[in-house]
Amino acid sequence: MGARLVNQGSIRYALSMTVTVRFAPSPTGRIHIGNARTALFNWLFALKNKGRFIQRFDDTDVARSTQENADPIFPDATDYQSKRFDIYDAAVERLKKAGLLYPCYETPEELDLRRKIRRTRGLPPVYGREALKLSAQEIANHEADGRRPHWRFLLPNFSSDPQEPERTEIRWDDLVRGEETVDLASVSDPVLVREDGTYLYTLPSVVDDIDMGVTHVIRGDDHVTNTGVQIAIFKALGAEPPAFGHHNLLTTTTGEGLSKRTGSLSIESLREKGVEPMAVASLAVLIGTSENVEAVPTLAELAERFDPAATSKSAAKFDPDELFALNRTLLHRMPFAQAQDRLQLLGIAGEQAEPFWNAVRGNIDRLPDAVFWWRVLREGPQSTPELSDDDRDFLRHSFDLLPEEPWDAAVWKEWTGRIREATDRKGKALFMPLRLVLTGLSSGRSLQIYCRCWVGKERWPDDPDLPVGVRFPLDGSGLL
């Protein structure tokens, strides 16, 4: 690809003002639900405006960016910043020729000392542009000592003398936050190019947005100050800045930020835990907004409810328990046709699969949980429960009280009512022995799942006198 820097205005007109957004994560770790929030805000905005959604990797941090981290995000990503350095090089040369990019030779220790000195003088700890005053001899001395420059962008926050910055407001109408202002005199000239010639995030992001015709940039509100700087860079490169929107960030319930590097609530881990994609999408989009957080079954329906301006300015605390509650709701409402292919991969297939799913879906937290019930109802409990002699007598009596077939959905209530009246047992004393012998478990969801799947009584294999093993029939007959 040859070096080029396209004017954004020409692209916008060529696309007839097509709304174009992008999701551009850095592949330095596993993306988490907070990253998914940004991706979905952009995707839904494009969907509502019949626009384009661009996939891009901001991978200029070559030391920490890996293909291993990139592949789970965008297996078919179309653009990598690490493959576009010629375009950024062209932008650098343009800024140098305009006198807007200047070399600096300070070490991190020297910069830290200067910030401390400025603080003691009651001044903001911003870069004082000392490098602009270096003589040719001083630069030669630095070079002779083996120092290599990093390059800073000269912010337009002065009238004539860069050493005398003055309040310079950059304003924009934020898609999320409304009117926003950044004073360029309150921030340092940003470093765009490191000593080793590699790029920081700031310049490649602007150049890519220009080159790709991005019209709207929607991202986290930790970029608000960045936006003021980047708007200045857009203008320095002769491009009209896009519209910006900054949504609130997600934190843990204790207020800590999410991090790709630690794997906090990564999308990969949530997938492995069996969380439905639309549970993640529903919570990621609706939390921290004026909308009620509830399970939305499709992205199209979520787009109808999506409004960037409805987002709060305060951080939103993410509670995983809320995510799993949404997951249960989605499963409980999921039609068999939607679950069929995934159930088949789990070995749940045949004529029995649909009535089984309709019976079991309201009793599971994750779709793979259906496998347990499939085995229990077809094969009986997977372990033999320990029962007292009293409980064995109780269960023999209880199964003698089963209503005559055919059964309907009311059989559970009728049967347990008979047991309660005949034995004077109630609560745990009544239901625990039934749960143990039907499922092999001492806890779980409602046992009413069985009244949707029972067809008859079989004897418990280890006790021919105990007619309590209830199994799912191989032919599926009698399902209600």
Side-chain angles (χ1 to χ4, degrees):
M1 181 185 296
R4 57 196 173 94
L5 186 63
V6 183
N7 184 281
Q8 183 175 0
S10 63
I11 292 179
R12 284 191 175 185
Y13 286 117
L15 295 175
S16 301
M17 295 297 288
T18 299
V19 167
T20 302
V21 298
R22 45 78 163 177
F23 177 53
S26 58
T28 55
R30 301 307 194 201
I31 65 168
H32 50 65
I33 192 168
N35 305 128
R37 180 174 174 83
T38 299
L40 286 162
F41 268 52
N42 281 278
W43 172 263
L44 296 173
F45 188 83
L47 187 64
K48 291 193 73 166
N49 291 279
K50 297 180 173 59
R52 297 192 306 150
F53 176 86
I54 293 174
Q55 298 180 158
R56 188 175 85 205
F57 278 119
D58 286 3
D59 61 338
T60 55
D61 187 347
V62 294
R64 293 190 298 114
S65 297
T66 68
Q67 194 62 44
E68 180 184 3
N69 288 327
D71 287 341
I73 305 174
F74 296 147
D76 57 348
T78 55
D79 290 292
Y80 287 77
Q81 287 187 337
S82 58
K83 300 177 182 179
R84 295 167 55 83
F85 286 135
D86 55 345
I87 299 177
Y88 313 142
D89 293 344
V92 164
E93 291 306 312
R94 181 170 177 175
L95 293 174
K96 286 181 179 179
K97 288 179 181 179
L100 297 177
L101 201 62
Y102 62 97
C104 305
Y105 292 87
E106 296 93 347
T107 65
E109 294 76 17
E110 290 170 344
L111 290 172
D112 186 55
L113 178 60
R114 286 178 181 174
R115 283 190 290 268
K116 290 178 180 178
I117 292 173
R118 289 182 67 88
R119 286 193 184 96
T120 61
R121 295 176 178 175
L123 299 172
V126 298
Y127 182 61
R129 292 173 171 163
E130 288 83 0
L132 289 176
K133 297 182 288 187
L134 291 175
S135 66
Q137 185 58 54
E138 288 173 319
I139 291 176
N141 291 340
H142 285 315
E143 296 280 353
D145 290 339
R147 293 197 186 190
R148 294 293 178 263
H150 54 273
W151 295 79
R152 291 182 183 267
F153 174 69
L154 184 60
L155 290 170
N157 58 6
F158 57 92
S159 296
S160 57
D161 185 355
Q163 301 299 328
E164 296 183 5
E166 56 192 42
R167 184 172 182 83
T168 305
E169 294 183 347
I170 296 288
R171 297 176 180 270
W172 70 94
D173 186 10
D174 198 280
L175 296 169
V176 177
R177 300 167 62 89
E179 185 72 22
E180 282 290 339
T181 302
V182 170
D183 175 19
L184 293 184
S186 67
V187 296
S188 297
D189 289 343
V191 176
L192 302 188
V193 187
R194 300 182 181 93
E195 290 85 347
D196 61 2
T198 59
Y199 292 98
L200 281 85
Y201 154 84
T202 311
L203 180 64
S205 180
V206 170
V207 172
D208 284 344
D209 288 343
I210 295 172
D211 191 56
M212 297 175 184
V214 172
T215 62
H216 295 75
V217 174
I218 304 174
R219 54 191 181 182
D221 59 14
D222 53 334
H223 286 284
V224 169
T225 301
N226 275 353
T227 294
V229 170
Q230 289 186 321
I231 286 175
I233 298 175
F234 272 104
K235 292 181 178 179
L237 292 172
E240 183 67 24
F244 286 92
H246 297 86
H247 62 74
N248 54 358
L249 300 180
L250 299 187
T251 69
T252 64
T253 52
T254 58
E256 298 171 351
L258 307 183
S259 172
K260 292 200 298 289
R261 302 178 197 178
T262 60
S264 300
L265 299 169
S266 70
I267 298 301
E268 184 178 39
S269 69
L270 294 176
R271 184 189 301 118
E272 291 172 351
K273 292 175 182 175
V275 178
E276 296 295 307
M278 283 309 302
V280 175
S282 298
L283 189 60
V285 171
L286 299 177
I287 192 172
T289 73
S290 59
E291 292 280 342
N292 292 328
V293 178
E294 57 187 21
V296 181
T298 67
L299 284 174
E301 292 175 69
L302 192 58
E304 290 298 317
R305 299 183 54 176
F306 172 67
D307 178 9
T311 307
S312 169
K313 289 187 178 182
S314 303
K317 291 187 177 181
F318 168 71
D319 185 351
D321 289 342
E322 192 169 8
L323 180 63
F324 291 112
L326 295 176
N327 203 62
R328 286 192 292 272
T329 299
L330 287 169
L331 291 172
H332 298 176
R333 298 173 181 172
M334 186 177 291
F336 175 71
Q338 185 178 341
Q340 184 175 9
D341 290 344
R342 294 162 64 192
L343 291 172
Q344 190 167 8
L345 290 174
L346 295 171
I348 301 173
E351 294 180 359
Q352 308 101 314
E354 183 169 5
F356 165 78
W357 173 250
N358 291 336
V360 79
R361 63 185 177 182
N363 212 50
I364 58 177
D365 294 328
R366 309 172 310 127
L367 189 139
D369 293 345
V371 173
F372 168 79
W373 289 105
W374 179 256
R375 290 174 179 168
V376 167
L377 292 170
R378 287 176 65 91
E379 304 167 7
Q382 303 299 291
S383 61
T384 302
E386 294 184 6
L387 298 167
S388 67
D389 290 341
D390 285 346
D391 283 342
R392 286 178 180 274
D393 291 339
F394 164 73
L395 288 167
R396 291 189 187 95
H397 190 188
S398 295
F399 275 84
D400 287 338
L401 296 172
L402 265 172
E404 294 297 320
E405 299 182 54
W407 296 330
D408 58 22
V411 64
W412 176 260
K413 184 176 181 180
E414 181 182 350
W415 182 42
T416 53
R418 290 183 180 185
I419 296 171
R420 186 180 296 108
E421 183 176 346
T423 66
D424 287 331
R425 287 202 186 196
K426 58 185 178 180
K428 184 176 180 180
L430 187 156
F431 292 107
M432 180 60 75
L434 291 176
R435 180 180 296 281
L436 284 169
V437 80
L438 293 173
T439 70
L441 301 176
S442 60
S443 63
R445 296 222 176 241
S446 171
L447 289 172
Q448 292 191 50
I449 180 177
Y450 279 91
C451 63
R452 299 287 302 276
C453 299
W454 281 347
V455 296
K457 296 173 286 183
E458 294 184 6
R459 295 181 182 276
W460 187 253
D462 295 333
D463 187 344
D465 296 325
L466 188 59
V468 296
V470 180
R471 298 184 180 179
F472 190 85
L474 296 178
D475 63 0
S477 60
L479 281 169
L480 303 173

